[in-house]
Amino acid sequence: LPVTQANTVIKAGHVLDFESGKWQKDQLIFIENERISQITSATAKIPDNATVIDLQDQYLLPGFMDMHTHMMGPLANDFFAGLFQSPHRSVIGGVVNAEKTLMAGFTSVRELGSADYMDVALRNSIADGEVAGPRIFASGPSLGITGGHCDDNSLNQSYELKADGVADGPWEVRKMVRKNIKYGVDVIKFCATGGVFSKGTKVGMRQYTLEEMQAIVDEAHTHGKIVAAHAHGTEGILFAIKAGVDSVEHASFLDAETIALAKEKGTYLSMDIYNTEYTLSKGEENGVPEENLNKERQVGAIQRASFTAAVKAGVNMVLGSDAGIYPHGDNAKQFARMVRFGMTPLQAIQASTINAATLLKQQENLGSVTKGKFADLVAVSADPLKNIEVLESVSFVMKNGQVYKR
Ligand code: ARG
């Protein structure tokens, strides 16, 4: 853990202007406690008592934000490990994974779906400065229908296994939202369709009814919480957007209607287009069952084509990688895929910074190198607008004004 420093000044050679995509040359970034207090030209006077960090030969960006992670859980790549492991063990995995994520330059994450409020516990421990990790926006257990993607269908009925967030019908889902809020979540997640990594669900098939989705969104928004919906199939995506969710996760089978509606309503899409490569190359070796590998084959290429179409249409996009499917700390690999499938490097960076901050309603605090915001900063040694892959190896990480990597 870093030592607390009250006053820091960064000598920055290049600072990204998040709107124009221009590099501001030779700036001084003044940091007081956890926030950026001033940004000046390099000729301004540096106070004698300040700690100076020289990043004149680096490119400085706002800390990255991954809007879809699963940091809790096993350290091994064994597909079934989670089934045999206690929540206590999983949260220790979370501590290790959180540090890897932060060291990769991700200073904020949205943790989407965590049994036993493990994510809330880890969020609080990180915020109290006990362990190193990104700021966590935690969802607690994902809501889902009985037998759906957000249930746990791996054991037979005599075990009576069910996931924490299972709720059916408008009043049960409202109660589950209230319970999650009671135990401290920041956001609500629900499963609108089947998924790749669950047993016995179909990726294309809707799960909650429109009425249930509307109940979830109404209850969450009434309490000031944003909502993320897992949805691959078109009808599930459509109903989720109609119900008023803030983001759709995966969004694999988009069509003209869902793209137009997302655009009209300002819905964010959080499309995990890196992990398909990992699953198709390493999944079998990690013990992923054929049922799930087969579903990945159904989703991967279509999802990337949908991504291209959504970018082209100008839909709001964030970076959401579903870290945990692939090893933690590799989150930045998604940047290059976002560029390969249609974004400019600047758009990919914006998706992971200012757009994510706006989705979280944290644009006053996060998402750009701006006076008054939290000093969450990363640096790389080359211009990422020319070579996006340089974001996979950050040379410097600061969160809350504290240096974690240098
Ligand atoms: N959690 C998601 C699911 O199980 C992951 C989907 C991964 N594949 C993909 N092509 N995005 O459905």
Side-chain angles (χ1 to χ4, degrees):
L1 287 173
V3 192
T4 306
Q5 266 144 11
N7 275 303
T8 307
V9 178
I10 298 177
K11 290 185 175 176
H14 308 80
V15 183
L16 186 69
D17 175 336
F18 72 94
E19 277 166 323
S20 69
K22 296 250 156 47
W23 293 105
Q24 311 285 334
K25 301 249 170 72
D26 300 320
Q27 307 273 295
L28 294 181
I29 318 280
F30 290 76
I31 293 142
E32 262 173 56
N33 302 313
E34 69 272 16
R35 288 184 190 260
I36 298 170
S37 58
Q38 197 66 255
I39 303 177
T40 69
S41 71
T43 52
K45 176 156 170 30
I46 299 176
D48 295 336
N49 64 348
T51 308
V52 177
I53 299 172
D54 188 347
L55 298 176
Q56 289 178 94
D57 59 352
Q58 303 288 306
Y59 292 76
L60 194 72
L61 304 150
F64 308 140
M65 305 172 73
D66 189 335
M67 292 297 96
H68 193 137
T69 63
H70 296 280
M71 298 195 300
M72 246 43 66
L75 300 174
N77 291 330
D78 175 357
F79 187 75
F80 287 107
L83 202 54
F84 306 106
Q85 157 175 300
S86 68
H88 316 90
R89 177 65 187 78
S90 289
V91 88
I92 293 169
V95 170
V96 176
N97 295 331
E99 181 164 8
K100 288 184 186 164
T101 306
L102 179 62
M103 293 309 164
F106 286 79
T107 51
S108 297
V109 303
R110 190 169 58 154
E111 182 74 7
L112 287 185
S114 209
D116 296 289
Y117 303 99
M118 290 186 280
D119 52 352
V120 172
L122 183 59
R123 176 197 69 196
N124 294 350
S125 179
I126 290 170
D128 287 347
E130 295 163 344
V131 295
R135 300 168 191 288
I136 296 181
F137 295 85
S139 76
S142 305
L143 278 72
I145 66 163
T146 296
H149 179 66
C150 283
D151 195 358
D152 191 337
N153 313 318
S154 38
L155 302 181
N156 79 51
Q157 79 283 0
S158 58
Y159 290 94
E160 296 181 1
L161 177 66
K162 90 174 187 184
D164 286 0
V166 170
D168 298 288
W171 287 106
E172 267 191 29
V173 298
R174 282 185 189 271
K175 188 169 181 186
M176 192 60 74
V177 170
R178 292 169 186 168
K179 182 180 173 195
N180 280 354
I181 293 169
K182 170 175 173 173
Y183 292 112
V185 305
D186 304 293
V187 307
I188 297 296
K189 179 191 179 186
F190 73 86
C191 282
T193 72
V196 172
F197 288 101
S198 50
K199 190 174 170 201
T201 72
K202 296 219 160 36
V203 282
M205 217 170 259
R206 178 176 58 77
Q207 297 193 331
Y208 273 129
T209 63
L210 179 60
E211 189 188 10
E212 288 168 311
M213 295 190 210
Q214 284 166 333
I216 293 169
V217 173
D218 179 61
E219 196 64 38
H221 283 175
T222 300
H223 291 88
K225 305 295 178 192
I226 63 164
V227 182
H230 157 109
H232 290 286
T234 315
E235 189 184 38
I237 298 171
L238 184 68
F239 282 18
I241 299 174
K242 277 192 179 161
V245 300
D246 300 275
S247 71
V248 176
E249 308 304 304
H250 317 299
S252 305
F253 296 87
L254 291 171
D255 62 1
E257 184 186 15
T258 42
I259 287 177
L261 195 64
K263 197 164 176 199
E264 183 193 318
K265 297 196 72 164
T267 317
Y268 285 81
L269 302 182
S270 165
M271 301 176 68
D272 50 337
I273 58 170
Y274 163 60
N275 59 33
T276 191
E277 275 166 62
Y278 182 81
T279 300
L280 293 183
S281 62
K282 290 275 182 331
E284 202 177 334
E285 187 181 315
N286 295 339
V288 177
E290 181 49 34
E291 176 194 350
N292 308 95
L293 291 174
N294 186 37
K295 288 198 277 186
E296 182 55 56
R297 286 179 214 115
Q298 293 167 30
V299 161
I302 285 269
Q303 187 190 29
R304 288 163 168 216
S306 288
F307 180 86
T308 305
V311 171
K312 209 166 177 191
V315 180
N316 287 335
M317 307 291 279
V318 290
L319 184 150
S321 75
D322 218 344
I325 289 184
Y326 65 86
H328 295 278
D330 281 352
N331 312 54
K333 288 192 173 171
Q334 190 165 301
F335 284 113
R337 279 71 191 178
M338 292 168 95
V339 170
R340 192 194 307 159
F341 292 99
M343 284 186 172
T344 63
L346 180 64
Q347 284 177 314
I349 292 168
Q350 288 167 333
S352 175
T353 55
I354 192 67
N355 296 7
T358 309
L359 165 63
L360 296 171
K361 304 198 192 302
Q362 291 293 321
Q363 64 271 37
E364 306 292 313
N365 293 317
L366 300 170
S368 63
V369 187
T370 305
K371 178 179 166 175
K373 292 197 185 185
F374 286 120
D376 286 8
L377 304 166
V378 300
V380 288
S381 62
D383 183 349
L385 302 179
K386 296 197 179 113
N387 170 18
I388 192 76
E389 278 165 19
V390 74
L391 299 181
E392 292 167 26
S393 36
V394 295
S395 59
F396 172 83
V397 178
M398 172 181 271
K399 192 196 78 181
N400 246 351
Q402 302 298 314
V403 177
Y404 287 85
K405 181 176 190 176
R406 192 146 175 214

